């Protein structure tokens, strides 16, 4: 006879959320159209309305958040000369994971063909105390493709008096351009995350971090962004190498970081999704 703990664990594992979205877009007569779309589980994507020549998509997680043991897969291909912007309907919340549960898995694959542009602009990912999540980005760009990718991670809802103290966050990024690996990074925060974020060399007590990746990017773009530095509420660093630019953000809360990221995006000439402005 199984113990109550074993029974509870079995029920938990059987009720994990699974979701996958796979689709491609292509350009025809200068207008981007959706191709084959596959959706499964609790993950959906909606295309609210055409915006000029490009296409906008909004991801919706009907599970209401992410918990330990959940798994989500996103696979997007932007065909030649297409233009696609993606965001989320709301901030994604990653909840506390029971000790017996596996970490949540978020896997994103982006492929951008020659002359295509993809904007990846989700709203914040909020980690609750004792959340555990592993995220992976695999990005493949043609030499003549462009990419704008923004991610914000918040360690607890500071406006609600909450803070992430314990947990696990592993974030793996791999960017290939023209088949060559030009950027590889893995960020790992685990254990007493609250104490680590308090260190001056990590986040100096900040509860929000962010990254903006711009391809192509050069020193001229870096200088345009640095011209806005006096308006930043948090810390922002930007550099360019290997044909792309990257901005790093750290702030005391999500609102300040979001404002800083919007200021940076304004310097790139990018149009923000309408949901960012609500």
């Amino acid at each position: 006879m199984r113990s109550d703990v074993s029974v509870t664990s079995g029920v938990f594992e059987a009720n994990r959320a699974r979701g996958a979205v796979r689709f491609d877009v292509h350009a025809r007569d200068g207008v981007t159209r959706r191709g084959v779309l596959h959706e499964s589980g609790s993950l959906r994507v909606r295309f609210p309305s055409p915006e000029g020549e490009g296409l906008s998509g909004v991801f919706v997680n009907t599970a209401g958040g992410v918990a330990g043991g959940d798994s989500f897969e996103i696979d997007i291909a932007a065909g030649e000369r297409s233009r696609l912007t993606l965001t989320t309907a709301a901030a994604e919340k990653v909840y506390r994971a029971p000790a017996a549960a596996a970490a949540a898995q978020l896997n994103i694959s982006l492929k951008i063909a020659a002359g295509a542009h993809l904007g990846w602009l989700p709203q914040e990912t909020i980690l609750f105390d004792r959340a555990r999540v592993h995220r992976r980005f695999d990005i493949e760009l043609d030499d003549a493709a462009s990419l704008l990718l923004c991610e914000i991670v918040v360690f607890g809802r500071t406006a609600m008096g909450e803070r992430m103290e314990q947990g696990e966050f592993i974030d793996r990024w791999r960017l290939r351009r023209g088949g060559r690996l030009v950027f590889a990074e893995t960020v790992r925060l685990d254990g007493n995350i609250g104490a680590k974020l308090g260190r001056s060399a990590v986040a100096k007590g900040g509860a929000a971090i962010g990254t903006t990746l711009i391809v192509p990017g050069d020193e001229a773009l870096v200088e345009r962004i640095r011209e806005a530095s006096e308006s930043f509420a948090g810390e922002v660093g930007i550099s360019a190498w290997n044909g792309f630019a990257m901005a790093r953000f750290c702030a005391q809360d999500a609102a300040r970081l979001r404002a800083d990221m919007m200021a940076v995006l304004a310097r790139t000439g990018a149009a923000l999704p309408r949901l960012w402005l609500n």
Side-chain angles (χ1 to χ4, degrees), residues 62-273:
T62 61
V66 179
D70 290 356
S71 178
F72 297 94
E73 306 272 346
I74 294 174
D75 192 334
I76 311 297
E80 292 186 3
R81 298 181 301 280
S82 62
R83 299 188 63 84
L84 175 65
T85 300
L86 297 166
T87 189
T88 55
E92 187 66 272
K93 299 177 178 64
V94 184
Y95 296 109
R96 173 176 178 167
Q105 302 287 331
L106 308 176
N107 297 315
I108 299 106
S109 175
L110 307 175
K111 303 177 184 68
I112 305 101
H117 172 78
L118 190 146
W120 177 271
L121 299 162
Q123 300 192 65
E124 301 86 10
T125 298
I126 302 172
L127 307 183
F128 282 62
D129 191 30
R130 300 188 182 276
R132 292 167 52 229
V133 59
H134 297 176
R135 185 171 67 179
R136 174 173 178 156
F137 281 96
D138 287 296
I139 307 165
E140 297 181 15
L141 285 86
D142 185 273
D143 280 328
S146 62
L147 171 71
L148 175 62
L149 187 150
C150 299
E151 280 287 348
I152 299 173
V153 179
V154 184
F155 298 92
R157 300 180 298 181
T158 54
M160 305 287 289
E162 302 170 356
R163 189 173 181 88
M164 186 182 189
E165 297 295 343
Q166 297 283 337
E168 181 180 33
F169 174 62
I170 299 177
D171 202 21
R172 178 187 183 277
W173 292 33
R174 298 293 184 270
L175 170 66
R176 289 177 171 81
R177 193 177 186 202
R180 303 180 305 278
L181 183 65
V182 295
F183 178 69
E185 175 180 87
T186 300
V187 173
R188 182 185 185 108
L189 284 169
D190 57 9
N192 191 341
I193 290 178
K196 292 176 180 177
L197 292 174
R199 297 174 185 169
S200 297
V202 180
K204 203 175 181 178
I209 61 173
T211 300
T212 295
L213 175 62
I214 308 163
V215 186
D218 55 19
E219 289 298 330
L221 174 61
V222 170
E223 289 305 314
R224 286 204 305 275
I225 293 173
R226 285 177 178 164
E227 289 173 359
S229 60
E230 292 185 1
S231 68
F232 295 148
E235 294 188 48
V236 182
I238 180 163
S239 56
W241 73 102
N242 281 356
F244 65 89
M246 178 172 284
R248 305 282 199 178
F249 303 81
C250 181
Q252 292 299 306
D253 54 54
R256 296 181 196 182
L257 194 148
R258 187 180 176 113
D260 287 348
M261 186 170 283
M262 290 174 70
V264 167
L265 294 178
R267 292 282 170 163
T268 72
L272 289 169

Side-chain angles (χ1 to χ4, degrees), residues 1-12 100:
M1 187 176 188
R2 293 192 300 170
S3 67
D4 290 342
V5 172
S6 297
V7 171
T8 301
S9 177
V11 171
F12 176 85

Side-chain angles (χ1 to χ4, degrees), residues 8-62:
T8 301
S9 177
V11 171
F12 176 85
E13 292 175 1
N15 284 279
R16 293 303 81 220
R18 301 285 185 269
V21 167
R22 299 181 185 89
F23 70 90
D24 64 286
V25 298
H26 57 273
R28 181 177 300 169
D29 298 327
V31 178
T32 301
R33 295 285 184 256
R34 191 189 75 202
V36 176
L37 169 64
H38 168 82
E39 298 175 322
S40 65
S42 61
L43 194 59
R44 298 286 184 269
V45 63
R46 295 294 177 261
F47 301 91
S49 61
E51 296 182 4
E53 297 178 349
L55 187 66
S56 294
V58 179
F59 291 106
V60 179
N61 178 10
T62 61

